[in-house]
Amino acid sequence: MSPAPMAPAVTLYVPGLHGGAGWPNPPPAALARVLARTRRVEGGDEGYAARALALFGLPPTAGLAALARLGEGQVRDDRWWVRCDPVHLAVDGDRLLLLDNDTLTLDAKEALRLSARVGEIFADEGGVVEALAPTRWYLSLPAPEPLHATAMAEVAGRNIHDYLPAGHARYWRTRLNEAQMVLHEALSAGHGGEAARGEANSVWLWGPGRAPAAVSADPAFTRVWTDDALVSGMARATGAAVAGEPTGVPELDHAGATLIVLRGAQGAVQYGDTEAWSSFLEAFVAAWWGPLAAAVRARRLARLSLIGDRGPCHVLERGLWRPLAGWWRR
């Protein structure tokens, strides 16, 4: 007799789950109550992209831009890629704050026009800039200078002076300045003034490298729900089926490990909106955690894991606990 199919497991990845550093506000009472009933697993301060790599079992050196291109539906190649995303830099006293690409209102036509201007900066070196989506641009160079860059999710809402590119710093910072100048010229030609919020007046470089060569024979997840190109690319690189962000709890008829990425708290934390953060988490408990926890109690779900982009993780599991090492892999 063949064994009965294993009950499914679900991991909820909620960047911004634990709020921002130094926030005085405690988590919403409804969230605090459900977390008190889980097994707590201590975690570090990895950040959104680094923790996602760990969830999928991918190496921390994997090229994030190359992975995100897979999530855009592109075919894997061996070229070096870096995200070259349009952003808005806002002056705030003596600080220059990065407002990320999710805050922009670029349409496809304008994105192609502006990305072409940025591409001219790298053309003599054989560089190519692709606008695979209006606010997601990718730069490839055949012989790139060394680059150490901070993922945009970790810089959004912060002073860029603390996160400027390193490696061959002079080269990359000069290119950023050139990008700011050509974007300023392009926008001035359009309306004759400074860039308003929602318009791109710079780019942010992050995620340099190449796509990992090998696909795991034992993928962490077999099904992934997300609207993020980066996580979609990680899923495709490891052989998981990918769908967009679900509007509600999906059917639990999938005998395997499912990852669901919900980013509603991420922007609130990046830009210090404690009210939006609390509102999202209250809705999350009712719409997501409650039904899935009930499925664990009804033995329709073997395990439910809740993970933020930093800090502790939480596991609700029927029966005996599994070993902690590699707990996110199943």
Side-chain angles (χ1 to χ4, degrees):
M1 179 183 296
S2 60
M6 182 180 62
V10 170
T11 297
L12 297 170
Y13 185 29
V14 183
L17 174 66
H18 298 295
W23 279 16
N25 296 40
L31 178 63
R33 284 194 297 271
V34 301
L35 295 185
R37 303 183 185 119
T38 63
R39 174 166 57 100
R40 178 184 169 112
V41 181
E42 294 302 326
D45 193 37
E46 297 95 326
Y48 176 67
R51 185 162 279 190
L53 287 172
L55 285 171
F56 282 97
L58 290 167
T61 55
L64 298 177
L67 285 168
R69 289 186 78 254
L70 298 180
E72 305 273 14
Q74 302 299 300
V75 176
R76 184 197 175 280
D77 59 35
D78 293 324
R79 297 161 69 186
W80 182 94
W81 291 94
V82 63
R83 289 284 288 265
C84 183
D85 288 334
V87 298
H88 183 88
L89 299 182
V91 177
D92 181 45
D94 60 352
R95 303 187 303 166
L96 199 55
L97 303 183
L98 186 143
L99 307 184
D100 71 353
N101 53 352
D102 286 339
T103 69
L104 302 184
T105 55
L106 277 177
D107 60 26
K109 182 178 179 180
E110 183 72 351
L112 289 174
R113 184 177 78 89
L114 296 180
S115 63
R117 293 296 309 275
V118 173
E120 293 170 2
I121 298 169
F122 301 95
D124 289 344
E125 302 167 63
V128 175
V129 174
E130 296 180 348
L132 297 182
T135 59
R136 296 192 298 275
W137 302 356
Y138 298 80
L139 165 65
S140 179
L141 285 166
E145 296 290 341
L147 173 61
H148 305 295
T150 304
M152 189 159 57
E154 310 310 313
V155 188
R158 299 183 181 183
N159 186 0
I160 67 165
H161 294 305
D162 299 326
Y163 301 96
L164 289 172
H168 189 163
R170 182 177 179 181
Y171 170 87
W172 290 110
R173 295 180 189 189
T174 298
R175 296 301 177 271
L176 283 181
N177 289 335
E178 292 172 351
Q180 290 169 21
M181 288 188 288
V182 300
L183 290 172
H184 173 76
E185 291 171 1
L187 291 170
S188 295
H191 55 55
E194 294 293 328
R197 291 206 178 198
E199 293 184 320
N201 61 3
S202 187
V203 296
W204 190 253
L205 302 169
W206 64 279
R210 293 176 169 82
V215 175
S216 172
D218 181 24
F221 304 101
T222 54
R223 182 175 66 167
V224 175
W225 296 83
T226 181
D227 65 349
D228 179 30
L230 176 58
V231 175
S232 294
M234 294 181 189
R236 294 187 189 282
T238 55
V242 184
E245 182 182 16
T247 56
V249 175
E251 293 295 324
L252 298 179
D253 57 356
H254 182 78
T258 293
L259 175 68
I260 300 173
V261 184
L262 301 170
R263 297 194 294 151
Q266 187 175 33
V269 171
Q270 289 168 334
Y271 298 105
D273 191 339
T274 58
E275 183 176 346
W277 174 74
S278 295
S279 296
F280 169 82
L281 291 177
E282 288 171 356
F284 162 79
V285 171
W288 291 93
W289 186 266
L292 289 170
V296 174
R297 293 192 295 272
R299 304 180 69 82
R300 292 190 299 117
L301 193 61
R303 184 173 66 259
L304 175 60
S305 303
L306 176 58
I307 303 173
D309 52 348
R310 45 184 35 89
C313 311
H314 303 269
V315 183
L316 186 65
E317 188 174 31
R318 58 180 171 83
L320 298 175
W321 301 125
R322 295 181 185 273
L324 295 187
W327 61 273
W328 59 81
R329 294 297 306 275
R330 292 289 179 197

